[in-house]
Structure formats: C-alpha cells, structure tokens
Amino acid sequence: MQKKMQVVQTLLDTLPFIRKFSGQTVVVKYGGAAQVNPELKEKFAQDIVLMHLVGIKPVVVHGGGPKITQLLGDLGIETEFVDGQRVTSKEAMRIAEMVLSGEVNKEIVSMLNDHGSKAIGISGKDAQFILARAKDRSRWGYTGVIEEINAEVVENLMKEHFIPVIAPIAASKDPGEPGFNINADLAASRIAVALKATKVVFLTDTPGVLDGDGQLIGTLGSEKIELLKNEGVISGGMVPKVDACLEAIRGGVQKAHIIDGRIEHSLLLEIFTSEGVGTQIVH
C-alpha cells in the first residue's frame, strides 16, 4: 500500500506542472546517447507521448551526426568540423539528407507511433517550411543559416494532434540547389521562436554546462555565457548549444534547457519537477 501511495503522491506532485504547461508548445532537440541507446530511446518515446497525452504540444527536432559521420566514413568521404558544426560538401549533403530525412526521422516517427501517439515526420524542404542560405560557401559548403520559417506548416500538424518530428534539412530560395544541412541545435532554437514555444530543451551527453572545475552550472545568463566562452570553458560542441539557447531566449522563448539525455526520463524530470535537471538559460 505504501508504494501505491507514493505513486499517487508523485502523480499529485506533477499536477501544478501539467496545469502550467498544458496547451503550451515545448520544442525538444533530440540527440546524443538518447538517440542511440535502445533503452534510452524507449524512455524518450514514453516521455514525449506522456507530455502529449497531458495536453503539452511537443515538437521534436533531431540530429543524427554520428550516423552521418559513420556512413561518410564507410564511403570514404572525409568529415570536418569547425566550432562544433559540420562542414558539408556536396557529397556530404546527399548523405546528410539520406540519413536525417530518411533513416533517423522515420525511426523516431515509428517509435512514437508504436507508443500510441500520432507522429509525422517532415524536413525543412516539405512545403518549404525552412528556407536557408549558405553560411559561407567557401568555408562551410552546404551548411546553411536559416532565413525563414513558415510556422503555419507545423502549427497545422499540431492542430490535427500530430507530434511533428523535424529533420534539420532546409530548402533554398534558389532553384536547383540541393538544400542545406542545418545544425540541429540552431534549427531547434529558430523553430521554437517561430512557434512561440514556452520552452526549448536540448538533450545532450553531458550533465549540462560545466564550469572550469567540471561542476554543473544550474542557471546561466547571456553575460556569464559570453565570459565562459571567452575563457574557453564553453567550447566545441557546447558552443552551438548555448548559442541556440541564447537565440531562443532573445526570440521570446521563456526558458532554454540543456539536460543530460543519458538519464532515464530526464525530459519528464525537467518539466514536471521543481528541481529540474541540467542547466537552464534565462534572460
């Protein structure tokens, strides 16, 4: 009986958060170990479906970098990263689109559908939902920068109670272009702003943003972030993540979170508990 009462109390403890976030849009950037480990994939799917069932409107934006790198390696195509972002040659662009829009996107959609939700996968090319330009063609190739997002495409899907699952491949305004590979963190940020999301949550393979001693920083503002970047404490792949968080906050998203996707149900812990997990980025 005691265990049953604990379950009831846990459910009651979530009520204020369910009430607060019901009807709100939450964008989740899905990547890292949570996208690879079979058990974590199941927990993630359960988290998203539960959020959807209690009235939250989740939108999943996913990466797929390790699978892209693996296939490029199998095909003998070199991979280069600058400041945590992939340099995308024309050959790499074809592989990125195949992996992201094909393999990864459909795997996530199937996983969510298997858990009883109604998920649908799209990329930025669908209905030209995301339009982009080259970041710097000579240096970055077909790595793109988002210029426009047609939020209505995703909003219409949510009105029909779909969970949108978005691959970060953008269309180009110029006919004949193969499109652009978009950093998934930055795509999640821009999509969150366009959808007027309450939160954007980034699942990573670290506890959050760490200080110079390797300790978790619970809350960060823009000034502290710039200081840590200048000191080299925030570097590599964490740079586009914190930049994406700042862009979201400046665009009107209430809070951005960088959490440890290696923890089971970290998404629910972040949204439905007062303590939360990871690092929150605030104004």
Side-chain angles (χ1 to χ4, degrees):
M1 180 62 71
Q2 185 64 32
K3 284 186 177 180
K4 291 179 180 178
M5 291 304 297
Q6 287 176 346
V7 171
V8 171
Q9 188 57 52
T10 300
L11 291 172
L12 291 173
D13 288 344
T14 65
L15 278 177
F17 301 99
I18 292 173
R19 192 178 299 117
K20 180 178 180 180
F21 296 118
S22 181
Q24 302 297 309
T25 299
V26 175
V27 174
V28 180
K29 190 274 178 164
Y30 178 48
Q35 196 178 327
V36 178
N37 181 291
E39 291 184 7
L40 291 175
K41 289 199 289 189
E42 287 294 307
K43 305 301 183 187
F44 170 79
Q46 291 170 1
D47 289 1
I48 294 293
V49 171
L50 178 59
M51 289 167 60
H52 195 235
L53 287 173
V54 300
I56 296 172
K57 296 186 285 187
V59 176
V60 178
V61 180
H62 64 83
K67 289 190 175 183
I68 295 171
T69 300
Q70 180 183 358
L71 186 52
L72 287 171
D74 291 344
L75 296 172
I77 301 171
E78 290 187 7
T79 297
E80 180 185 358
F81 288 87
V82 176
D83 295 333
Q85 293 191 56
R86 186 185 304 274
V87 176
T88 312
S89 65
K90 197 165 187 176
E91 295 81 4
M93 180 64 206
R94 293 177 63 196
I95 302 304
E97 184 163 15
M98 284 193 325
V99 171
L100 292 172
S101 298
E103 180 183 359
V104 176
N105 188 274
K106 301 315 170 192
E107 180 186 47
I108 298 167
V109 168
S110 296
M111 188 169 61
L112 294 175
N113 288 338
D114 288 344
H115 281 79
S117 69
K118 199 168 70 164
I120 191 165
I122 62 172
S123 81
K125 285 186 172 181
D126 291 302
Q128 290 198 317
F129 159 53
I130 302 174
L131 288 174
R133 59 173 172 81
K135 182 180 178 73
D136 181 340
R137 186 62 60 86
S138 62
R139 186 182 185 197
W140 299 87
Y142 288 90
T143 297
V145 175
I146 294 174
E147 289 195 311
E148 295 178 24
I149 291 182
N150 181 1
E152 187 178 3
V153 173
V154 176
E155 290 167 349
N156 287 338
L157 293 174
M158 291 192 289
K159 285 176 185 176
E160 296 299 323
H161 306 292
F162 285 102
I163 298 175
V165 180
I166 302 169
I169 297 292
S172 170
K173 287 182 177 179
D174 299 323
E177 284 273 23
F180 293 102
N181 181 26
I182 306 295
N183 177 274
D185 295 323
L186 298 175
S189 169
R190 289 293 301 273
I191 290 167
V193 171
L195 294 174
K196 298 180 173 59
T198 299
K199 288 178 179 285
V200 58
V201 184
F202 298 85
L203 294 179
T204 67
D205 286 344
T206 67
V209 181
L210 307 179
D211 64 18
D213 298 320
Q215 299 300 307
L216 178 66
I217 303 172
T219 303
L220 276 173
S222 58
E223 290 185 7
K224 183 65 173 178
I225 286 173
E226 292 306 320
L227 178 63
L228 292 176
K229 284 168 66 176
N230 291 335
E231 292 176 348
V233 175
I234 294 176
S235 60
M238 187 57 72
V239 172
K241 284 182 172 57
V242 295
D243 286 348
C245 288
L246 288 175
E247 185 173 28
I249 293 298
R250 290 165 181 161
V253 177
Q254 291 179 18
K255 284 186 180 180
H257 305 261
I258 298 174
I259 67 174
D260 195 340
R262 299 169 300 180
I263 298 173
E264 292 186 357
H265 299 301
S266 57
L267 198 49
L268 296 185
L269 289 170
E270 180 58 49
I271 293 173
F272 293 131
T273 67
S274 54
E275 294 84 5
V277 292
T279 302
Q280 64 175 354
I281 312 296
V282 298
H283 287 283

